[in-house]
Amino acid sequence: MESFAKLKRRGTDLFSSLPHNLPSMPHLPHLQRTGGSPTMKGTWQHISIPPLPRSSHSLDIVAGNAYIFGGEVEPRKPVDNDMHVIVLPSSSASADYYTIKAKPSSKQQLAEKSAPITEEDETEAQLRDPLSDVDLSSPPPAEAEEPSSATSDKGKTKSLDSQVPSPRMGHATAVIGSRIFLFGGRSAESSSEPLDEGGRVWVFETKTHTWSYLDPYRNSPVPPPRSYFAAVATDKPRDFAIKPLRRASSWKEWAEGDSAEVGIPQRPIAGNVAAYATDEEDAGFGTFIIHGGCTAGGGRTNDVWAFDVRSCTWKELPSAPGPARGGPALAIAKSRLYRFGGYDGTQELGGQLDVLELVLDEFDDRVSKGEIGVFARGEWQTLVPPVTSAPPPSAEETAKLVPTEEWPGNRSVSSLELVLGGGGREYLVLMLGERSPSSEGHAGAGRFWDDVWAFQIPPIGMTAASVTDAFLQAVGRKTGEGKWTRVTPGPYEEENALDAQGPGPRGWIASAPLGDLEENAILIFGGLSESNTRLGDGWIFRLE
């Protein structure tokens, strides 16, 4: 028989899952009390699965399933290239776990693509095919472009000869649609250097449990190989221009249209519509973005690169400010990139939140319109803690600048994820990570954080949160927007000893938001403890 605490928790979850769009009487926002440092609350829930110890791995969540790839148990020795899947707990169902062996897709590439058309290509085409000599018949289909020469010249690792990614660590992944995109890392053969795969992006199809890859096309620049970096993704561009209809070669063909394939309304041909249907993911959409990391020769970088999935091209965005670093935390929210922390080779970084605004370029020529790609709008902006001048303790000393707000401590290899709070508010949740490096380098373990912080970003459109914040500003009260707030976590189930204990200090973790499953929740998995032990447990953090 279930305990009262579990029944109470289940009742609370059931109530929270009910629709919240029912009509209700308007009410004034709750005004927070002044005085003292503001705090927020959250909960930790331990996930009961078989132990899967590892660090420097990746974690992505698609449709309620957590996908774990790569990592290391012994320093600089990748474990495997299996995809480990955790079916996350939902309602009264507990978590489950299974493994997917790496196997290639039936297609060598996700879809046949052509290289992006440049001005030189248009000029050459006009000279080759002047307007005075236009054939009324349909042109023959264009041949697919060859992969980039950079791929064949630069990619000298064994992974280019394989149809699936090799076992690796220190890579980074992100989700677009139902697919997981992977780049970089280190293998067993190149444990001290990043894998050089010529800009190749690996793609795991969660629908078919198969791997494929995207190589950059000709004239595309390629980012330097790297490991221990960060990656995010956006589903833009997605709304592309609709291709014009094929011009009929005769009046009869024009009149008949596609009736020979799909029939007419009175006599439809069953099955043909489904047979000719296409999946937009086959053609590709979205942008995969990487930042920072450790490069060849022991160097580090601060650059930012964006991979356009549809055109298979890389482009470089403005580099982030500050020292070059590995292990930064990166998140995307409201078309903005947010970067915190990292390690520059001597110390952990922090004390500022760097922001880069992204813009979606579009076109409309009155015949068709669509989205072109994601670009940066201006340079990075930096947010720092506000400071005030404190009076000197004695006449011999001068006044000092002291911060007026509490900020997260410097850290690397931590978690930074976007969650949705009540009333349409969005928060960046920063948790755990390394606070000081080990004197033994990668072979040892440093000191780690066990804290949780939330950064409130501007509210979404006309939501309850925006109305509340407007009211608070009108009466001269603070809204918390653009500020870090310390989160006080507690157990998800009060009678569960593991929930009460929490994950503890750790770094080199992998994390991902639960998304539609729970918009206020984040899953973290594995990592390295201060006793230099690879951890194999999973935890769900919920922001309340």
Side-chain angles (χ1 to χ4, degrees):
M1 190 172 184
E2 292 185 324
S3 65
F4 174 76
K6 290 186 177 180
L7 290 175
K8 181 181 178 182
R9 170 62 68 180
R10 183 172 298 179
T12 303
D13 293 342
L14 180 62
F15 178 79
S16 62
S17 65
L18 295 176
H20 294 278
N21 57 356
L22 298 177
S24 60
M25 294 295 294
H27 61 279
L28 294 178
H30 172 70
L31 298 180
Q32 298 179 354
R33 295 181 179 180
T34 59
S37 300
T39 60
M40 301 179 67
K41 293 184 178 181
T43 59
W44 284 112
Q45 180 188 11
H46 179 261
I47 304 301
S48 298
I49 59 169
L52 191 66
R54 61 191 58 208
S55 63
S56 305
H57 52 295
S58 62
L59 169 66
D60 301 276
I61 296 179
V62 179
N65 295 326
Y67 296 85
I68 301 170
F69 183 81
E72 60 183 354
V73 176
E74 298 181 25
R76 305 189 186 280
K77 294 182 180 180
V79 285
D80 54 41
N81 65 343
D82 296 340
M83 184 65 78
H84 302 268
V85 184
I86 300 175
V87 182
L88 298 175
S90 178
S91 299
S92 60
S94 59
D96 196 7
Y97 165 77
Y98 62 95
T99 302
I100 301 172
K101 294 294 182 181
K103 62 179 180 179
S105 171
S106 57
K107 302 177 183 179
Q108 181 179 359
Q109 294 281 337
L110 293 176
E112 293 294 335
K113 298 179 175 66
S114 59
I117 299 176
T118 62
E119 295 182 1
E120 292 79 3
D121 296 333
E122 292 180 349
T123 303
E124 182 182 354
Q126 292 174 359
L127 295 175
R128 185 176 62 252
D129 189 16
L131 295 178
S132 59
D133 187 20
V134 177
D135 190 358
L136 295 180
S137 61
S138 300
E143 297 181 358
E145 295 285 354
E146 293 296 328
S148 169
S149 59
T151 302
S152 58
D153 294 338
K154 293 184 178 181
K156 301 300 183 180
T157 60
K158 294 182 180 179
S159 58
L160 288 183
D161 299 328
S162 175
Q163 300 299 309
V164 297
S166 61
R168 62 188 65 199
M169 58 191 178
H171 55 282
T173 57
V175 174
I176 302 177
S178 64
R179 302 183 297 177
I180 300 172
F181 291 75
L182 180 151
F183 181 80
R186 299 183 183 184
S187 67
E189 292 79 11
S190 60
S191 59
S192 59
E193 294 289 337
L195 281 164
D196 187 353
E197 298 177 306
R200 171 175 293 182
V201 176
W202 294 96
V203 184
F204 182 77
E205 174 61 68
T206 61
K207 296 178 180 178
T208 60
H209 293 174
T210 57
W211 284 98
S212 186
Y213 58 86
L214 294 172
D215 284 334
Y217 281 94
R218 60 181 179 87
N219 300 329
S220 172
V222 177
R226 66 196 61 204
S227 59
Y228 303 109
F229 59 103
V232 295
T234 173
D235 62 354
K236 297 296 183 179
R238 187 168 188 172
D239 298 328
F240 301 99
I242 301 177
K243 295 181 179 180
L245 298 176
R246 181 175 61 87
R247 187 170 63 178
S249 59
S250 65
W251 284 106
K252 179 181 179 181
E253 184 179 351
W254 175 83
E256 291 179 348
D258 59 355
S259 60
E261 299 175 355
V262 300
I264 58 177
Q266 294 80 5
R267 299 177 61 184
I269 301 176
N272 276 17
V273 175
Y276 289 98
T278 58
D279 187 350
E280 65 173 340
E281 290 191 339
D282 290 340
F285 63 88
T287 306
F288 178 67
I289 302 173
I290 63 174
H291 161 63
C294 301
T295 57
R300 290 173 177 83
T301 182
N302 237 2
D303 57 0
V304 182
W305 289 80
F307 182 78
D308 185 88
V309 176
R310 191 177 183 91
S311 64
C312 289
T313 54
W314 286 99
K315 60 174 173 284
E316 188 171 7
L317 303 181
S319 295
R325 65 196 67 190
L330 189 69
I332 186 170
K334 292 184 178 300
S335 301
R336 290 183 176 94
L337 285 179
Y338 292 84
R339 193 273 305 269
F340 187 90
Y343 179 70
D344 65 359
T346 58
Q347 62 182 352
E348 314 291 342
L349 303 173
Q352 64 185 54
L353 182 65
D354 303 304
V355 186
L356 177 65
E357 185 174 359
L358 303 177
V359 62
L360 179 64
D361 196 8
E362 302 176 323
F363 78 93
D364 185 355
D365 58 3
R366 298 185 180 183
V367 176
S368 61
K369 63 179 180 179
E371 299 171 349
I372 299 177
V374 174
F375 298 86
R377 175 179 290 174
E379 299 294 327
W380 286 80
Q381 304 295 322
T382 298
L383 305 178
V384 296
V387 295
T388 185
S389 178
S394 62
E396 290 78 13
E397 298 183 13
T398 58
K400 297 181 180 180
L401 295 178
V402 296
T404 59
E405 295 179 5
E406 189 180 14
W407 267 52
N410 297 6
R411 68 192 67 203
S412 65
V413 290
S414 58
S415 168
L416 182 65
E417 303 291 350
L418 175 70
V419 298
L420 184 63
R425 282 192 175 93
E426 286 184 324
Y427 295 91
L428 294 175
V429 177
L430 175 71
M431 63 180 78
L432 311 180
E434 186 177 79
R435 63 190 303 174
S436 61
S438 169
S439 59
E440 301 177 12
H442 195 71
R447 298 288 305 279
F448 300 107
W449 294 98
D450 64 351
D451 55 353
V452 182
W453 294 80
F455 181 86
Q456 181 182 335
I457 64 177
I460 306 174
M462 289 301 296
T463 62
S466 62
V467 175
T468 300
D469 290 346
F471 177 84
L472 292 174
Q473 292 176 356
V475 298
R477 302 296 294 272
K478 297 181 179 180
T479 64
E481 178 181 318
K483 297 180 179 179
W484 285 105
T485 303
R486 182 185 291 273
V487 180
T488 303
Y492 183 71
E493 295 183 358
E494 295 180 359
E495 296 183 355
N496 190 308
L498 289 176
D499 289 2
Q501 176 183 344
R506 65 178 69 191
W508 304 90
I509 58 177
S511 65
L514 268 63
D516 294 337
L517 188 63
E518 291 186 65
E519 294 180 333
N520 67 326
I522 300 170
L523 173 67
I524 69 165
F525 190 89
L528 183 66
S529 70
E530 291 184 344
S531 61
N532 202 19
T533 302
R534 264 68 184 184
L535 304 169
D537 51 353
W539 297 82
I540 295 180
F541 173 81
R542 294 176 176 89
L543 185 67
E544 297 183 346

